[in-house]
């Protein structure tokens, strides 16, 4: 069975947000919507270091989006079944046709701001459609999030954020395949997972 996962090398990630921008353009995301974003680990703001000079100053980055959990809280709480986990590959999606915008999934998810509700009719930065023609349309009063680019995966391709990363800091593949790129890198490197103690079984890894 296939189970897709992603890894981010925190030693290589520079917080450039190129992955965020290619996602926005590729999915023609509405104004104010981001499926993932770079987060600074260190100080209190983006690109703000922590610590005290000259003793020890720390500033690292990681990207935050849907963790495509093994036991997704959003799926368990959804009253209509709109939030679901694909049986064929473990990717967690939201079906806009079934979503009623109740925001239960947002409340249940332990990861902050990885889902967003489109309030009313979506508006866009440009007057014409951007991105991949296969990307899903955006429906007002429904919830959206990162899908690992299912439209590309279903066509035998990879998520667009993987190949755009200028620091080559991202890995993607089948966690159930020991020969996949991501399985090999996880076998060789130490890593952490966000809020692993919540019992959701996140499938995004952060390499140390």
């Amino acid at each position: 069975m296939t189970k897709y996962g992603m890894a981010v090398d925190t030693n290589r990630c520079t917080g450039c947000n190129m992955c965020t921008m290619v996602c926005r353009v590729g999915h023609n995301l509405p104004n104010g919507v981001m499926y993932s974003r770079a987060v600074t680990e260190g100080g209190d703001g983006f690109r703000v270091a922590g610590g005290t000079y000259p003793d020890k100053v720390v500033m690292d980055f990681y990207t935050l989006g849907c963790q495509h959990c093994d036991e997704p809280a959003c799926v368990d709480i959804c009253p209509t079944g709109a939030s679901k986990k694909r049986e064929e590959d473990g990717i967690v999606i939201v079906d806009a046709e079934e979503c009623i915008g109740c925001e239960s999934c947002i409340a249940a998810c332990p990861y902050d701001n990885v889902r967003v509700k489109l309030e009313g009719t979506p508006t866009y930065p440009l007057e014409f459609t951007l991105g991949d023609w296969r990307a899903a349309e955006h429906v007002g009063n429904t919830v959206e999030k990162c899908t690992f680019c299912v439209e590309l995966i279903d066509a035998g391709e990879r998520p667009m954020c993987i190949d755009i990363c200028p620091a080559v800091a991202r890995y993607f593949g089948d966690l159930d395949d020991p020969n996949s790129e991501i399985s090999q890198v996880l076998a060789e490197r130490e890593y952490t997972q966000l809020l692993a103690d919540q019992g959701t079984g996140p499938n995004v890894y952060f390499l140390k």
Side-chain angles (χ1 to χ4, degrees):
M1 185 173 177
T2 300
K3 183 172 80 167
Y4 284 122
M6 186 176 291
V8 179
D9 190 335
T10 59
N11 290 322
R12 299 183 67 94
C13 179
T14 63
C16 71
N17 265 317
M18 186 70 77
C19 54
T20 302
M21 297 312 298
V22 74
C23 178
R24 288 205 65 191
V25 173
H27 294 101
N28 191 41
L29 294 185
N31 291 322
V33 175
M34 291 189 297
Y35 286 172
S36 70
R37 66 190 187 281
V39 177
T40 304
E41 195 168 29
D44 295 329
F46 185 59
R47 292 189 179 277
V48 177
T52 304
Y53 179 84
D55 298 324
K56 186 176 182 181
V57 178
V58 177
M59 185 171 66
D60 295 314
F61 302 97
Y62 65 92
T63 51
L64 179 61
C66 177
Q67 304 295 293
H68 295 278
C69 303
D70 286 335
E71 301 293 336
C74 58
V75 172
D76 291 338
I77 199 69
C78 180
T80 67
S83 287
K84 58 192 67 180
K85 180 179 172 183
R86 301 204 321 177
E87 293 183 3
E88 64 267 32
D89 53 24
I91 294 176
V92 178
I93 61 171
V94 180
D95 187 335
E97 293 185 358
E98 299 180 31
C99 180
I100 58 175
C102 69
E103 302 184 42
S104 295
C105 58
I106 295 176
C109 178
Y111 305 100
D112 291 336
N113 301 317
V114 301
R115 290 169 173 254
V116 62
K117 180 181 177 182
L118 303 182
E119 300 286 357
T121 302
T123 61
Y124 300 89
L126 298 175
E127 296 180 356
F128 52 88
T129 302
L130 298 173
D132 195 306
W133 64 271
R134 296 166 293 187
E137 294 185 9
H138 306 286
V139 181
N141 299 310
T142 64
V143 173
E144 291 191 355
K145 65 171 198 65
C146 162
T147 66
F148 273 171
C149 294
V150 290
E151 70 280 358
L152 300 184
I153 290 173
D154 290 345
E157 303 174 38
R158 305 198 303 175
M160 58 187 75
C161 63
I162 301 298
D163 295 321
I164 198 66
C165 179
V168 196
R170 305 174 78 82
Y171 301 86
F172 181 82
D174 182 3
L175 293 166
D176 284 347
D177 178 3
N179 295 316
S180 69
E181 181 182 49
I182 190 170
S183 292
Q184 291 181 359
V185 75
L186 291 177
E188 297 170 356
R189 299 276 299 275
E190 294 185 5
Y191 58 81
T192 60
Q193 294 166 285
L194 297 180
L195 303 180
D197 60 344
Q198 297 292 310
T200 57
N203 284 308
V204 178
Y205 300 79
F206 298 91
L207 307 175
K208 295 182 178 182

